[in-house]
Amino acid sequence: DVKVTQSSRYLVKRTGEKVFLECVQDMDHENMFWYRQDPGLGLRLIYFSYDVKMKEKGDIPEGYSVSREKKERFSLILESASTNQTSMYLCASRQDVSEAFFGQGTRLTVV
Amino acid sequence: AQSVTQLDSQVPVFEEAPVELRCNYSSSVSVYLFWYVQYPNQGLQLLLKYLSGSTLVKGINGFEAEFNKSQTSFHLRKPSVHISDTAEYFCAVRANAGGTSYGKLTFGQGTILTVHP
């Protein structure tokens, strides 16, 4: 079974802090994604990566950056956390035309 | 550009009743279609997918969906629901051709299914 692991289930950070969310997949997938999930809005794509060191902006990239130094790891970075970034963050990976596999999610609270 | 609309934000239903969760999409190219389920405090799990072939797709837990190209719909159905089906359900679409949307999975807003005893 494909496993996508997010490093934290719950995080509480202060406004202005730099925040790192880590995601690791174990199936050698080319494509990895970061989404945020908010009630009534579904999942919105922040960034995705189709290869090491390659990244593309999704629908809501403002306030975020990403890093993919190794194929299995995709990091989401909040340069200066703000309260409107309080949300559930979901990482996913996918190979070719197959479905995306999701991690358990990180619930981030910025106070 | 592509978009997905789930027509009901909440669907309450009694146990053993049938249910339909509605999903419409728009896209300028051909698409792949997916339904995911999310149980409380968990990530998303694939229920079923349409890539090509038969327009009636069967998934896990007794769910099925029908791809209707002319109506750009992909409604999810189950003939008899259980309490354990209580969860949030997401419809998603991805372009299957090159272009700016290639590879990007777009989700609907989600439908919360609540099954009452």
Side-chain angles (χ1 to χ4, degrees):
Chain A
D1 275 356
V2 175
K3 190 157 179 144
V4 179
T5 303
Q6 295 183 230
S7 54
S8 305
R9 291 295 304 273
Y10 301 94
L11 275 179
V12 181
K13 297 292 182 181
R14 297 195 181 280
T15 302
E17 276 193 78
K18 190 168 186 176
V19 181
F20 293 86
L21 302 183
E22 307 286 346
C23 175
V24 176
Q25 50 99 358
D26 66 356
M27 284 301 290
D28 204 37
H29 285 173
E30 303 271 331
N31 306 289
M32 296 188 74
F33 307 82
W34 275 107
Y35 290 87
R36 66 176 280 175
Q37 180 183 7
D38 300 287
L41 297 178
L43 279 74
R44 293 177 292 166
L45 183 64
I46 304 171
Y47 267 96
F48 66 100
S49 168
Y50 50 90
D51 202 350
V52 176
K53 296 192 187 294
M54 307 301 287
K55 61 186 179 185
E56 284 205 26
K57 293 180 180 179
D59 299 317
I60 52 164
E62 297 77 20
Y64 303 94
S65 62
V66 290
S67 171
R68 192 160 181 210
E69 296 295 321
K70 293 185 178 181
K71 193 173 187 180
E72 68 270 18
R73 186 180 297 270
F74 192 36
S75 303
L76 180 69
I77 303 157
L78 286 65
E79 298 290 343
S80 177
S82 64
T83 55
N84 62 13
Q85 292 178 309
T86 291
S87 187
M88 170 72 91
Y89 290 88
L90 291 163
C91 174
S93 73
R94 177 173 61 80
Q95 186 70 17
D96 298 326
V97 300
S98 74
E99 68 271 22
F101 294 86
F102 284 82
Q104 293 287 78
T106 297
R107 189 168 293 280
L108 173 67
T109 303
V110 182
V111 298
Chain B
Q2 58 199 31
S3 66
V4 179
T5 301
Q6 291 182 240
L7 297 159
D8 305 292
S9 59
Q10 298 194 51
V11 173
V13 65
F14 286 110
E15 194 173 18
E16 297 183 6
V19 71
E20 179 180 81
L21 306 184
R22 297 179 294 166
C23 172
N24 286 101
Y25 70 92
S26 70
S27 176
S28 56
V29 299
S30 297
V31 295
Y32 300 129
L33 293 153
F34 306 84
W35 274 99
Y36 284 86
V37 61
Q38 185 181 36
Y39 299 104
N41 296 316
Q42 294 190 24
L44 273 67
Q45 177 184 355
L46 182 73
L47 268 181
L48 48 79
K49 60 187 176 186
Y50 171 79
L51 302 182
S52 65
S54 172
T55 57
L56 183 62
V57 180
K58 293 190 183 297
I60 63 171
N61 300 341
F63 284 93
E64 64 180 33
E66 185 153 20
F67 170 50
N68 188 320
K69 189 174 181 180
S70 63
Q71 297 190 9
T72 61
S73 67
F74 192 54
H75 301 331
L76 181 71
R77 301 185 182 98
K78 186 170 183 178
S80 176
V81 293
H82 302 290
I83 297 286
S84 59
D85 292 323
T86 294
E88 189 162 16
Y89 293 78
F90 292 95
C91 180
V93 62
R94 178 161 61 85
N96 67 4
T100 58
S101 295
Y102 183 63
K104 175 182 162 181
L105 192 61
T106 300
F107 285 84
Q109 302 90 331
T111 298
I112 297 172
L113 174 65
T114 304
V115 181
H116 297 279

